Amino acid sequence: KTPIKQPTDGSRLAPDNRAYNRLLRGLRWQGERGFAILIGRWKTLRHTNISPRRIGDIVAAALHLTHFEYKYLSESC
């Protein structure tokens, strides 16, 4: 999803459009923060040439290990 741009004539966005942009911004920061943590923690994710089909499994495993490391997951996993 892309945010709705500000009108070029200087007027403000409609309240619905501002709320839509605010919701997108609220969702986007979480993904960007998570990706930054993964890239900073796992050097293998910085420069990879793995196919897009396989990278999802590797990122999921790295995310699970990172959550375990930060104790976001229970010890029984």
Side-chain angles (χ1 to χ4, degrees), residues 2-22 25:
T2 55
I4 298 170
K5 292 184 177 184
Q6 190 80 339
T8 56
D9 63 359
S11 62
R12 294 192 69 181
L13 284 175
D16 289 342
N17 293 339
R18 283 187 299 198
Y20 174 78
N21 284 349
R22 210 171 309 130
R25 194 169 49 241

Side-chain angles (χ1 to χ4, degrees), residues 36-57:
I37 289 172
L38 286 177
I39 294 297
R41 173 65 181 92
W42 300 99
K43 290 180 183 179
T44 188
L45 295 177
R46 290 183 196 157
H47 304 288
T48 183
N49 57 4
I50 298 173
S51 72
R53 187 172 292 176
R54 293 190 55 217
I55 192 70
D57 294 335

